[in-house]
Amino acid sequence: MAGFRRTVLLEVATELFSRQGYHAVGIDDIGAAAGVTGPAVYRHFQNKDAILRELCNTAMTELLAGARRAAQAGDPHHVLNALISVHAGFGSRHRRLVAVYVREHRALSPIALRALRRRQRDYEAIWSEALRQVRPDLGTAEIRGVVTAVLSLINAAAHMPTELDDAAVERLLSAGAAAVLLARLPGDVDSAAG
């Protein structure tokens, strides 16, 4: 029962944080939405920061595990496609969690934020290595820039219209990510034309 209650509290917190923002939501709000008293929340989480930390870590754990599996796909193009699929699929299925992660992770304690940023860099490094193999025409800074742009694009899942189902969101995000990853930079087009 404790595991179930913890799961409910995390789901409720995700909903509240995504709609109202982390700082606008209190422990009592989370408890009330979950059907328990605020103090009962403390049986499961030390504080509100611990809830946010678990939400961010849950997202990063799933993405990082998926990226590590994707990196084993062999051919670099297949790796990039698998990475897109992992992130777009996660984003489309967990839009509220992505919203919390993207908007609220900076509210974590400094120690938790440093740990999360290390894991983010590991995740981005997998993308960068795959892109480097597919796009040898890009320099290191350009690769980092393209990866940052693509991850931001896929994280737009948090803002997709609610009328779109998960499959439609995943298709849109995947198509956009693939287009950005393979697009020639404007300067490259100009120099090729001249």
Side-chain angles (χ1 to χ4, degrees):
M1 186 64 166
F4 173 75
R5 182 60 52 92
R6 185 180 177 85
T7 300
V8 168
L9 290 169
L10 288 169
E11 289 172 359
V12 164
T14 301
E15 174 67 26
L16 292 174
F17 293 166
S18 70
R19 277 192 293 124
Q20 300 173 30
Y22 173 77
H23 293 293
V25 175
I27 288 288
D28 288 337
D29 300 320
I30 295 169
V36 299
T37 63
V41 176
Y42 291 110
R43 286 189 222 132
H44 303 279
F45 298 97
Q46 182 180 9
N47 51 34
K48 193 169 73 161
D49 181 71
I51 296 171
L52 181 59
R53 186 173 60 244
E54 182 149 342
L55 292 174
C56 290
N57 282 331
T58 295
M60 196 69 253
T61 296
E62 186 168 334
L63 288 171
L64 200 45
R68 287 177 176 145
R69 282 190 307 274
Q72 306 305 312
D75 173 74
H77 285 90
H78 288 115
V79 171
L80 271 185
N81 287 333
L83 287 168
I84 292 169
S85 180
V86 164
H87 203 124
F90 178 84
S92 65
R93 290 188 315 275
H94 303 287
R95 296 185 220 182
R96 288 185 186 102
L97 180 56
V98 170
V100 172
Y101 183 91
V102 169
R103 288 194 317 246
E104 308 296 344
H105 75 274
R106 290 173 201 82
L108 288 167
S109 69
I111 291 171
L113 186 55
R114 276 193 302 276
L116 182 64
R117 289 227 164 108
R118 273 193 303 274
R119 297 178 80 207
Q120 286 173 332
R121 284 190 299 272
D122 291 345
Y123 183 68
E124 291 163 4
I126 295 169
W127 278 82
S128 293
E129 177 56 24
L131 184 58
R132 184 188 64 74
Q133 292 182 40
V134 171
R135 297 287 309 272
D137 57 305
L138 298 177
T140 302
E142 290 170 324
I143 287 171
R144 281 198 323 266
V146 170
V147 167
T148 297
V150 167
L151 296 181
S152 295
L153 183 153
I154 298 174
N155 286 337
H159 309 292
M160 285 290 185
T162 55
E163 301 84 12
L164 293 175
D165 66 17
D166 293 350
V169 169
E170 184 173 356
R171 280 193 310 275
L172 288 169
L173 297 174
S174 296
V180 171
L181 288 167
L182 300 177
R184 296 289 165 206
L185 299 178
D188 296 340
V189 172
D190 293 343
S191 63

